[in-house]
Amino acid sequence: MPRHDGHPDDMHAHRLPVDAVLDHQGTSLESGLSATEVRARRRRHGPNRLPESRGPSVWRILVNQVESLVVILLFSAAVAAAAFGSTIEALAILAALVVNTAVGFAMEWRATRAMEALERMGTAQVHVRRDGKTHRIGADQLVPGDIVLLEAGDMIMADMRLVESNRLQCNESALTGESVAVDKITEPLSEENPPIADRLNMAYSGTAVTQGSGSGVVVATGLATELGEIARLVSESGQSITPLERRLDRLGQRLIWLTLVVAVLVAGAGMLAGTDLRLMVETAIAMAIAAVPEGLPVVATLALAQGMLRMASRNALVKRLSAVETLGSANVIFTDKTGTLTQNHMSLHRVVLERGTVEVEDSTFQLDQTALDPAETSDLLAFLETAALCNNASVESHGAVGDPTEIGLLEAATQAGLTRSTLLESWPETREVSFDPATNMMATYHAANDGFRVAVKGAPESVIEACDRVMTADGERALDESDRAEWRRRSEALAGDGLRTLMLAQKTVDDESGNPYEGLTLLGVAGLHDPPRPGIRETISACQEAGIRLVMVTGDHDATARAIAREIGIAGTDAPATDPAVLDRLDALSPAEREALLDQGVFARISPRQKLELIQLYQEAGWIVGMIGDGVNDAPGLKKADIGIAMGQRGTEVAREAADMVLKDDAFATIVDAVRHGRTIFQNIRRFIVYLLSGNLGEILAISAAAMVAAPLPMLPLQILYINFVSDVMPALALGLNRSETGIMDRPPRDPTEPILMRRHWSAIGGYAVIIAATALAAFAVALLVLQLDTGMAVTISFLTFGFARLWHVFNMRSSRSAMIVNEVTRNGFIWAAIAVGVLLLLVATYFAPLAGILGVTPPGGREWLLILGFSLLPLLVVQSLKRAGLWWERPADVEPASDQLRSRGIS
């Protein structure tokens, strides 16, 4: 048992040899901890997690409801009512404040909890060795003494002392601020307490593996880690709000101030005209109440959160609210090729030998339609042996593990009867020179009777320069420059057919310490095929129809990338290949050269730094850039892009941390679905804002018109409060949950700089408000002047007409593009539920005597009900007729189809 497991401060893990650290932690490199010991340590140390970043507390949510300008306005109205002796009105306003606060609290609490649920959906995974077997577990299950296996792309989830390192490098900028990756070692350090940046044999929670592989023994978890210590010192930052929420807040405040100015002017004009002061104060109070856009920010937040949950159910996990807005305006998406557009399952398709091209299908090898037996074909046999030996993949009972390219080579060798385990019995591996981007090659050394057999594979343009001989059907011969040119041509021909190319070579040496990349014998070129994902062509077509460009950005060969791009329909593949070095000197390019780059559909041989330059090029040209990535080297681009999209299954932890959205199923089609939801969410927010403001403005217009002509108020302040409660929050919330309308993906992406409400929306709001106010006033006038009803009954008729008109008004929120009867609004079950509750509450206000007495409502008779229903339906009938005739303001006269916008740029 360990003496002090999990406490690096008293054991100074960086100073101890590996064996001493393992002994101190009571574990072993070969077997790790036992299940029993894991349970005991978990009870002792708790889960490996930092305190969760929770949303606002219950108290903070409550305070949020009462510190807004809306509440101040209503409270002032209550004080004014009490000062003029209207005690019941003052109490009612205060009651409305309580109700609004309660509703806002409930909605914000639900939205906050929904966001927290989203944040808990993704859990980091790690590979550990326990009971002598490798397991994949949640990072929160790590305990001190666990043996963790590390490889490039992993996030390090606990502090650990490294016990194995194979070219291991870590990015520790999260702790040290040093952006350069650090080479890791396993030897003990002599300094007693060096800075974290100098502890080269330690790996710390919150950092990332950028290269190589290795393993480490966990010495601290949770708050005991260096990251946990920082978490203790840093206070939790306040919750940020999105640009949309800020615009909503400004919109509500401006509306309130505008209404206050109008209320003062109307009240002043009335008093100058000799109108009773009490009536004018009552009018000002009524207008102030009418101006309040109840629940606007809360409904918007809840609509976003519900939309995010809906997107999560479709395998798109959005990590922040503002990303929803960006989704609706993205018009170009950078995507890798392998695994994103293709299946990421490589299979050997062709082998180019000196004697000719061998076609590979299943377990057959054919040269000029003649079947070859690898065991009896020396050059093919040497090629397949090298493919299996220079390989880190493995084929296990539950499937193949490793790089897809290496798996493809290994599977081909296995189909020829050459298993790697059997080959290693004859040629045991003694040394590996890992793949290095600087050389684009890797090598393995294997003990042989006469020395060491060196197996090499890599990019054809690199391997061919290291070869001076070539294997033929009968032996070997020298390789001259004309031969090299021919091999380059044959490799390019494979790439031009959409195949990934790797050249294989070998040699025999006496000493394994030399340079593996010289004096090689060329064996041949492998052409591996990674077929496109099923349905990817249709998905790309859907993106283009929605006005979204797809640009392939890959490190693969240009010819290979273009062949796949043409096969799946990515536009812009006919332009000449771009030299990636151009991206290093963007400032020197002319406008025409920049425009030519923007029209490219494929960028090949691109480095992470050049990918950043490319993203910036598009952003400076006004494009809204999305980027799909899965590797460590994609993380900078995912951060730089307007919206970073990471793969949830095969993506590295680094990529997922950097991204704004994670695709849980790794399916490209999920992005299209997410864009659809993003557009729908913004459209719904815009729709219920129009609904809320048009109703509130209608109340203001009706009250102002009556006050200007010294007529009785058509609605009392308490009635306005009640209507806003019945007609604002519930129907608006239901509108926020609308499904996607027909054709939403046939339109161009939204300009991110455009305001929530454009000129046509304000025109529509004004039109709706005038019609609603006019019909309510008309019903009021008919009741007073035609039917000669008393003022109390006329006010009741006006109140109910307005209340029902606002309920029916929700059906005016359908798009002009959709059908009149069956559309995105009428298909929304929440709309019908909101209307049913609204009708019920209006009937309660009419026939429940205590409430009717407080509101000043007199139950109407049959004639009055006909008047109420007839006039309340008029706004719906008028607006629907105008929309049917194409005379409404909701949409511009012409909207260029999204696909036509791309074609206008020459991209088709």
Side-chain angles (χ1 to χ4, degrees), residues 81 146 191 295 328 334 338 371 547 566 643 658 907:
D146 263 326
E191 189 175 350
F334 290 174
T338 304
R566 284 192 295 270
I643 178 165
I907 304 166

Side-chain angles (χ1 to χ4, degrees), residues 35-111:
T36 302
E37 183 62 23
V38 167
R39 287 192 294 270
R41 297 191 184 194
R42 189 173 296 129
R43 285 194 298 269
R44 186 155 61 248
H45 299 283
N48 175 38
R49 66 168 72 102
L50 299 179
E52 292 185 3
S53 177
R54 310 271 311 166
S57 65
V58 171
W59 174 250
R60 181 68 255 177
I61 294 175
L62 183 61
V63 171
N64 288 344
Q65 310 309 311
V66 298
E67 63 179 4
S68 69
L69 188 60
V70 168
V71 173
I72 295 173
L73 183 64
L74 283 177
F75 186 76
S76 301
V79 171
F84 280 86
S86 301
T87 305
I88 294 179
E89 290 184 359
L91 292 175
I93 294 173
L94 291 175
L97 268 176
V98 172
V99 171
N100 277 342
T101 299
V103 171
F105 173 84
M107 288 184 172
E108 188 171 344
W109 182 86
R110 183 183 176 191

Side-chain angles (χ1 to χ4, degrees), residues 268-435:
M271 285 186 287
L272 289 176
T275 308
D276 180 63
L277 176 61
R278 181 186 179 89
L279 177 61
M280 284 297 94
V281 171
E282 189 178 52
T283 302
I285 291 172
M287 293 186 67
I289 294 170
V292 176
E294 285 87 353
L296 181 59
V298 175
V299 173
T301 300
L302 187 57
L304 285 168
Q306 288 290 343
M308 291 170 73
L309 285 173
R310 188 178 292 170
M311 291 165 70
S313 69
R314 296 295 193 90
N315 293 314
L317 176 58
V318 180
K319 296 166 61 177
R320 58 189 180 95
L321 284 173
S322 56
V324 177
E325 297 178 70
T326 311
L327 275 172
S329 55
N331 50 18
V332 62
I333 294 177
F334 290 174
T335 174
D336 192 12
K337 175 180 70 68
T338 304
T340 304
L341 303 176
T342 61
Q343 296 181 29
N344 197 26
H345 181 79
M346 305 294 291
S347 59
L348 187 62
H349 191 60
R350 290 179 196 159
V351 176
V352 178
L353 303 173
E354 173 71 9
R355 70 167 75 192
T357 299
V358 178
E359 299 288 340
V360 184
E361 186 173 353
D362 295 329
S363 58
T364 63
F365 299 82
Q366 290 190 334
L367 176 64
D368 297 330
Q369 298 184 344
T370 300
L372 298 179
D373 183 355
E376 299 178 359
T377 311
S378 59
D379 49 351
L380 179 58
L381 179 64
F383 180 94
L384 293 174
E385 287 177 345
T386 299
L389 290 171
C390 189
N391 202 307
N392 285 321
S394 62
V395 178
E396 302 176 2
S397 57
H398 59 276
V401 178
D403 178 80
T405 301
E406 292 193 329
I407 291 173
L409 292 173
L410 194 59
E411 288 177 341
T414 302
Q415 290 168 358
L418 303 171
T419 63
R420 190 167 190 270
S421 58
T422 302
L423 292 173
L424 289 176
E425 291 177 3
S426 301
W427 295 285
E429 184 176 319
T430 61
R431 177 191 173 197
E432 176 184 321
V433 181
S434 299
F435 175 82

Side-chain angles (χ1 to χ4, degrees), residues 665-812:
D665 59 356
D666 284 10
F668 195 93
T670 302
I671 297 176
V672 179
D673 214 23
V675 170
R676 179 183 294 107
H677 280 293
R679 292 186 179 186
T680 299
I681 289 169
F682 187 86
Q683 190 71 24
N684 287 343
I685 290 174
R686 178 174 273 172
R687 184 179 279 120
F688 71 62
I689 291 175
V690 170
Y691 172 78
L692 286 174
L693 297 191
S694 58
N696 286 17
L697 182 59
E699 293 170 348
I700 294 170
L701 291 178
I703 294 168
S704 301
M708 295 297 288
V709 297
L713 290 183
M715 287 176 289
L716 304 177
L718 294 184
Q719 294 173 349
I720 295 173
L721 275 174
Y722 195 79
I723 286 176
N724 286 358
F725 174 71
V726 169
S727 305
D728 269 10
V729 175
M730 288 182 292
L733 177 57
L735 283 172
L737 300 177
N738 269 358
R739 299 284 178 175
S740 301
E741 64 184 68
T742 302
I744 195 168
M745 292 297 285
D746 296 332
R747 304 172 211 159
R750 178 181 61 86
D751 184 345
T753 63
E754 74 179 31
I756 295 178
L757 299 179
M758 301 178 70
R759 182 176 299 175
R760 66 179 185 273
H761 300 117
W762 284 113
S763 300
I765 288 171
Y768 288 135
V770 167
I771 294 173
I772 292 173
T775 52
L777 288 175
F780 185 57
V782 169
L784 279 177
L785 304 177
V786 178
L787 300 181
Q788 299 293 312
L789 300 175
D790 61 73
T791 301
M793 178 58 74
V795 169
T796 295
I797 289 173
S798 177
F799 160 66
L800 291 175
T801 300
F802 205 99
F804 282 109
R806 289 201 63 182
L807 288 177
W808 315 144
H809 179 49
V810 74
F811 294 113
N812 286 331

Side-chain angles (χ1 to χ4, degrees), residues 9 61 92 250 338 408 483 489 672 741 848:
D9 286 340
I61 294 175
R250 286 198 300 268
T338 304
D483 293 324
R489 185 196 65 76
V672 179
E741 64 184 68
F848 182 59

